[in-house]
Amino acid sequence: MGAADVVPGVSGGTIAFIMGIYDPLLESIRRINPSLISKWNKEGIYVVWTHINGTFLCSLLAGILTAILTLAKVVSYALTEHPIVIWSFFFGLVIASTILMIKQVRNWSIIEILLVVTGAVFAYVITVANPITLEFTLLAVFFSGLIAICAMILPGISGSFILLLLGMYVPVLDAVTSFNLPVLGLFTVGCLIGILSFSHMLSWLLNKFRSLTIAFLTGLLIGASCKIWPWKETIGFRVNTSGEQIPLPLIEKVLFPAAFETATGQSAQLDIAVPMMVLGFGLVLGLEKISIKPSD
């Protein structure tokens, strides 16, 4: 989940869904509320820890933080130096994830179909939206964490991509790589408040209207897939503090491989891209085989 959350366009929520820990994750987060204080006083810390599935949450958080802290530089380098290879892998992963989510919809009706379409349109509009340049302030860092974390636990919408839309992806990534504690601390506080609030609503929807909710989430995954299509032409740039032109990942044109070669003069690398797609697709199916089933 941590590795996926570093990449703009891939959601950690998708990985959680594949591995079968999505529902336990939401339920554990939902149980973190002020009533825990009373439970602690009456029944002790062990009961509280068991109630929120603390071992599960800490293990998951440790894995996410480890991946973010260790892979941030690696992912940034790979996306810059080998974009087609990396995006091909994630595209295969997301396509397989979409198929698995479609299988989770119990009853297909006109409502489910409309929700898939609505989710797809909503996610697509987000992926082609123009970026907003927020002034880098501590308040902006806090609200970025508050908003981005909600996307991070949604299959299909990437929290990193939301940070890109807000113009906060580079500052936050720089804070991670330089270990800027004040910025990271405030961003974390925003994430905690956002996830504790949003998880209640999402958990309730999955419990009461599971098929409808999964249909909408499937639409999000489909609509966002264009963002991770491997062959894109960057048509927008920003100027960094050194006066250099840096490509804007948000402003891109999706192309077929042949058109990509014509427009950019670069190889489509189909001999590598196709196997990487197959690898990503197969990895998801493999993870699904060993995932935690509802009956487990």
Side-chain angles (χ1 to χ4, degrees):
M1 287 180 66
D5 283 330
V6 173
V7 181
V10 183
S11 168
T14 302
I15 305 300
F17 199 93
I18 294 169
M19 292 300 297
I21 63 170
Y22 195 68
D23 288 296
L25 173 60
L26 289 180
E27 180 60 24
S28 297
I29 296 172
R30 188 189 65 81
R31 292 181 179 183
I32 301 176
N33 54 60
S35 67
L36 290 179
I37 298 176
S38 175
K39 184 179 285 293
W40 188 335
N41 291 333
K42 293 179 180 178
E43 304 178 62
I45 187 173
Y46 178 76
V47 173
V48 170
W49 185 260
T50 304
H51 179 69
I52 65 171
N53 207 350
T55 302
F56 164 76
L57 287 178
C58 286
S59 299
L60 189 65
L61 181 61
I64 290 173
L65 290 177
T66 299
I68 290 175
L69 293 174
T70 57
L71 295 178
K73 290 184 178 180
V74 175
V75 170
S76 296
Y77 171 81
L79 287 175
T80 301
E81 300 297 327
H82 307 285
I84 292 178
V85 175
I86 300 302
W87 288 123
S88 295
F89 173 76
F90 280 112
F91 188 78
L93 184 150
V94 169
I95 293 302
S97 303
T98 303
I99 294 173
L100 293 182
M101 290 191 68
I102 289 174
K103 290 167 61 178
Q104 294 288 323
V105 179
R106 296 168 183 169
N107 301 302
W108 282 102
S109 68
I110 188 63
I111 299 178
E112 276 82 2
I113 294 173
L114 287 175
L115 283 171
V116 170
V117 174
T118 301
V121 171
F122 177 73
Y124 178 77
V125 168
I126 289 179
T127 61
V128 298
N130 290 323
I132 302 169
T133 304
L134 292 180
E135 183 181 354
F136 183 68
T137 64
L138 293 180
L139 186 61
V141 170
F142 170 79
F143 278 108
S144 296
L146 189 74
I147 297 170
I149 193 64
C150 296
M152 286 179 184
I153 61 174
L154 279 174
I157 297 183
S158 163
S160 296
F161 186 70
I162 297 300
L163 289 178
L164 273 173
L165 279 175
L166 298 175
M168 296 297 291
Y169 179 75
V170 174
V172 171
L173 194 62
D174 287 344
V176 172
T177 55
S178 63
F179 211 60
N180 188 326
L181 290 179
V183 172
L184 290 177
L186 199 57
F187 183 77
T188 301
V189 172
C191 288
L192 288 174
I193 295 176
I195 198 170
L196 289 175
S197 304
F198 186 66
S199 62
H200 281 73
M201 180 183 72
L202 194 53
S203 181
W204 181 82
L205 287 171
L206 285 170
N207 286 330
K208 297 292 184 181
F209 309 100
R210 185 172 185 83
S211 186
L212 297 176
T213 304
I214 295 296
F216 180 75
L217 295 179
T218 302
L220 293 181
L221 205 54
I222 294 171
S225 62
C226 66
K227 177 59 189 172
I228 54 176
W229 177 250
W231 297 281
K232 300 185 289 279
E233 179 187 9
T234 300
I235 56 177
F237 296 85
R238 66 179 176 87
V239 179
N240 65 11
T241 54
S242 302
E244 301 172 326
Q245 276 196 335
I246 305 296
L248 272 175
L250 287 172
I251 307 177
E252 297 169 323
K253 183 179 180 181
V254 175
L255 301 171
F256 286 109
F260 172 83
E261 292 184 343
T262 302
T264 65
Q266 302 174 23
S267 170
Q269 298 179 277
L270 288 174
D271 56 332
I272 302 176
V274 174
M276 290 301 292
M277 285 185 185
V278 174
L279 178 61
F281 192 94
L283 179 62
V284 170
L285 297 184
L287 290 174
E288 197 272 340
K289 294 295 183 183
I290 65 172
S291 66
I292 301 171
K293 308 301 179 182
S295 59
D296 289 350

